[in-house]
Amino acid sequence: MQNHDKKIALVTGANKGLGFEISRQLATTGLTVLIGARDENKGAEAAEKLQAQGFDVQSIKLNVSDISSIATAAKNIEERFGKLDILINNAGVLHDGGVNPSDLDVKVFKETFETNVFGAFAVLQAMLPLIRKSNAGRIVNISSTLGSLTDTLDPNSHYFQYRGLAYQASKTALNAITVQFAKELADTPIKVNSACPGWLQTDMGSADAPGTVEEGADTPVWLATLPEDGPTGGFFNSRKPVPW
């Protein structure tokens, strides 16, 4: 195991888009950042781009839909660093945008939950023993205002007409995971929060989105670096609370 005094952050699904930008912004604060990626080559390429900018970034193979991959990654981190200070559950999929609930294929529903819910839960659960070894563990689940039941029912919401049951329900479930772990860890230094990055110009968000990845990464990075008196068990967008 390396003698590593710096904080260690793991970002899942980080070889491109929002995850990559979150990794970059975290690295600018002086952390060691692990880019989690299903494709080992793409993860390595992403890490090399940030290394070329002088950042302490490394890649780690991690498929959030594969329990054995998650276990191997956790063992790898333990052997190399002995702890984990920050976990950002960023990996996610959106396969049913614009699809009415009555037309949703149950296979798509299951596949969405496999990554967005079960994957995030499995990673969090596997990494928690390492996060408990941190002096100030931080867990950030990348959610969406589309998962807010309050917002979904608000006729004045920008997203009121949006249809995407699988994705929206998965983010609602992810928020429940945030709340339950925050309650379990309330008496520890670990903080657990959900972050909505907004509608961003990524492969998932499309070029029509109004937000940039730089803007979207701000709130997750803020939550990942909260001080001791920062919030836990919350849901935030633009550093402001989002109704559940």
Side-chain angles (χ1 to χ4, degrees):
M1 185 179 70
Q2 300 177 17
N3 182 9
H4 216 289
D5 295 328
K6 295 202 310 186
K7 288 190 174 182
I8 313 300
L10 169 64
V11 185
T12 68
N15 59 282
K16 63 178 182 178
L18 177 64
F20 181 80
E21 178 59 22
I22 289 173
S23 299
R24 188 192 70 79
Q25 290 190 23
L26 284 174
T28 65
T29 69
L31 288 87
T32 295
V33 180
L34 306 179
I35 286 183
R38 288 185 302 174
D39 187 312
E40 202 165 4
N41 292 329
K42 291 181 179 179
E45 290 173 4
E48 288 169 4
K49 289 179 183 178
L50 294 178
Q51 289 167 2
Q53 298 177 38
F55 297 128
D56 185 2
V57 176
Q58 303 175 36
S59 63
I60 185 166
K61 183 175 176 58
L62 176 56
N63 180 352
V64 304
S65 299
D66 184 339
I67 294 297
S68 64
S69 174
I70 295 170
T72 299
K75 183 178 179 181
N76 188 328
I77 294 170
E78 181 175 23
E79 291 176 347
R80 290 162 63 185
F81 306 107
K83 64 166 185 172
L84 183 64
D85 299 281
I86 296 167
L87 168 64
I88 298 189
N89 267 319
N90 168 72
V93 297
L94 193 170
H95 295 315
D96 68 321
V99 177
N100 285 322
S102 58
D103 297 321
L104 178 61
D105 188 326
V106 69
K107 292 181 180 179
V108 172
F109 210 161
K110 290 179 178 180
E111 289 170 1
T112 301
F113 264 63
E114 189 65 40
T115 298
N116 295 4
V117 182
F118 306 138
F121 168 76
V123 171
L124 198 166
Q125 192 176 56
M127 300 299 168
L128 187 56
L130 294 172
I131 297 172
R132 287 184 181 276
K133 296 181 180 181
S134 169
N135 293 327
R138 301 290 181 264
I139 298 168
V140 183
N141 293 321
I142 302 300
S143 186
S144 170
T145 301
L146 290 171
S148 165
L149 296 178
T150 301
D151 192 84
T152 299
L153 291 168
D154 182 1
N156 296 314
S157 166
H158 294 298
Y159 305 114
F160 182 71
Q161 298 297 334
Y162 186 86
R163 297 292 182 270
L165 172 60
Y167 181 77
Q168 291 179 272
S170 74
K171 293 306 183 179
T172 304
L174 183 63
N175 284 345
I177 290 172
T178 293
V179 169
Q180 292 300 320
F181 273 96
K183 289 167 66 177
E184 178 181 348
L185 299 168
D187 295 329
T188 77
I190 301 171
K191 298 184 183 300
V192 191
N193 291 289
S194 284
C196 171
W199 182 17
L200 306 178
Q201 297 162 11
T202 61
D203 289 348
M204 181 183 292
S206 82
D208 297 329
T212 66
V213 289
E214 291 82 6
E215 293 168 336
D218 178 72
T219 295
V221 171
W222 168 65
L223 290 171
T225 55
L226 284 172
E228 185 178 351
D229 61 351
T232 188
F235 185 15
F236 299 90
N237 182 2
S238 300
R239 303 194 182 192
K240 297 178 181 179
V242 177
W244 297 108

